[in-house]
Amino acid sequence: METSSQIDYNRIAEAIAYLKLNFKQQPSLDQVAEHVNVSPFHFQRMFKEWAGVSPKKFLQYLSIEYAKGILKDKAATLFDAAYETGLSGTSRLHDLFINIEGMTPGEFKNGGEQLAINYSYAESPFGSLIVASTKKGICYMAFADDQIEALTQLKSTFPNAKYYQLLDIIQQNALYIFTQDWSRLNEIKLHLKGTPFQLKVWETLLKVPMGGLSTYADIASAINNPKANRAVGSAIGNNPVAFLIPCHRVIKSTGEFGQYHWGNCRKTAMLGWEAAKVDSQQ
């Protein structure tokens, strides 16, 4: 049974898909509200509660030209200057709080044998999540439109681990990222199964600040392997921790948002939501 927040997000996601498809025509509030079958007044209020801005303002953040402008301004100094240009503390969240510990070769090869993994389900501004942790940190986070399928996918990642449905303090700290209550956020640690190359790519993604964007070529250059665009794309596609490792902030060099493992509409929602949050802080 869907929660009220899930129902609201589904409506918002449908509206965002409509806005993305029709942004060149700049659809009116009435047109978008009619598309999702709610009154203009209710839709305006619901959308502003979710995004912090009006649908009209949010539309600006969906423009390909807006994305191109961000890339043009930051392309030359994407990682070096991001933290020297007055970005707020919340925009630097990933750099300050999240660090990765890779699993040992034994843990990597034996499918998580002897690992005890706690998992739970939670709500986010972008739909339901499954989040899992070992005693060392978050090992998995994914959007869970279907809880059974999500759990099956988690278990396929660590087929030999022992699983317990339990919300622990490690998961709670990670989920605070969605509440914007940074004062309650302790240091987040990630305990990930990945090759050295994948871990390097994921660590680099953590340097892309909230509201910022990068490209596959930028990431490849940042890891001193500028010819590895395709391998970088593969590592990004295999990101095991949604949102915390912000693979949604990687777009095409043309400025188009591109695809996303957990759905293109969800990626669009994330980018617009983050841009709105950062814009409201400046």
Side-chain angles (χ1 to χ4, degrees):
M1 186 174 182
E2 289 185 320
T3 64
S4 59
S5 61
Q6 181 66 46
I7 292 171
D8 283 348
Y9 172 71
N10 288 342
R11 285 175 173 165
I12 289 166
E14 187 178 355
I16 288 170
Y18 178 81
L19 288 170
K20 185 184 177 190
L21 185 64
N22 298 282
F23 73 89
K24 290 182 180 179
Q25 285 73 46
Q26 297 291 298
S28 67
L29 175 66
D30 288 354
Q31 288 175 309
V32 184
E34 181 181 1
H35 181 75
V36 296
N37 298 312
V38 297
S39 70
F41 174 80
H42 179 66
F43 176 68
Q44 173 95 347
R45 184 177 62 182
M46 177 180 67
F47 197 98
K48 193 164 185 179
E49 286 177 354
W50 178 81
V53 295
S54 68
K56 182 177 180 179
K57 183 70 173 177
F58 191 88
L59 186 57
Q60 297 176 12
Y61 302 126
L62 301 186
S63 168
I64 291 176
E65 293 305 313
Y66 175 80
K68 286 180 179 179
I70 292 178
L71 289 176
K72 183 178 179 180
D73 289 344
K74 296 182 178 180
T77 57
L78 184 63
F79 295 103
D80 295 333
Y83 311 112
E84 300 173 5
T85 54
L87 291 175
S88 67
T90 55
S91 297
R92 297 179 60 191
L93 179 70
H94 291 85
D95 185 55
L96 291 175
F97 287 101
I98 298 178
N99 59 77
I100 293 176
E101 177 177 336
M103 293 190 175
T104 66
E107 291 169 331
F108 186 98
K109 291 179 180 179
N110 64 21
E113 187 176 345
Q114 298 183 352
L115 280 179
I117 295 179
N118 296 332
Y119 72 93
S120 61
Y121 301 98
E123 294 298 322
S124 81
F126 315 105
S128 300
L129 289 165
I130 185 172
V131 56
S133 56
T134 70
K135 64 181 180 179
K136 292 183 180 181
I138 297 295
C139 63
Y140 189 81
M141 183 183 287
F143 291 100
D145 297 322
D146 182 313
Q147 291 189 355
I148 296 176
E149 182 181 339
L151 181 58
T152 299
Q153 183 62 45
L154 167 61
K155 289 184 175 180
S156 71
T157 305
F158 303 98
N160 299 320
K162 295 181 179 179
Y163 290 89
Y164 306 91
Q165 187 169 358
L166 174 68
L167 175 63
D168 58 30
I169 189 64
I170 293 174
Q171 296 168 29
Q172 290 178 26
N173 287 338
L175 292 170
Y176 285 148
I177 194 172
F178 295 112
T179 70
Q180 303 289 303
D181 184 5
W182 314 125
S183 64
R184 300 177 60 192
L185 187 65
N186 294 327
E187 184 177 355
I188 297 175
K189 293 184 182 296
L190 305 179
H191 187 208
L192 302 184
K193 175 184 177 182
T195 66
F197 181 85
Q198 287 174 324
L199 294 174
K200 197 171 185 179
V201 170
W202 298 338
E203 287 174 344
T204 304
L205 290 176
L206 295 175
K207 297 178 183 178
V208 184
M210 182 178 285
L213 298 172
S214 185
T215 67
Y216 299 103
D218 288 331
I219 301 298
S221 295
I223 63 172
N224 297 315
N225 201 338
K227 296 183 179 180
N229 287 19
R230 183 169 296 181
V232 164
S234 178
I236 291 173
N238 287 318
N239 171 24
V241 182
F243 198 84
L244 288 176
I245 298 179
C247 57
H248 59 280
R249 295 178 192 156
V250 181
I251 67 175
K252 295 181 179 180
S253 58
T254 60
E256 296 176 282
F257 289 166
Q259 299 302 309
Y260 183 57
H261 180 72
W262 291 285
N264 194 35
C265 184
R266 183 172 275 127
K267 176 176 182 174
T268 304
M270 289 178 174
L271 292 176
W273 184 81
E274 289 186 341
K277 296 296 181 186
V278 171
D279 189 61
S280 68
Q281 296 164 6
Q282 295 177 345

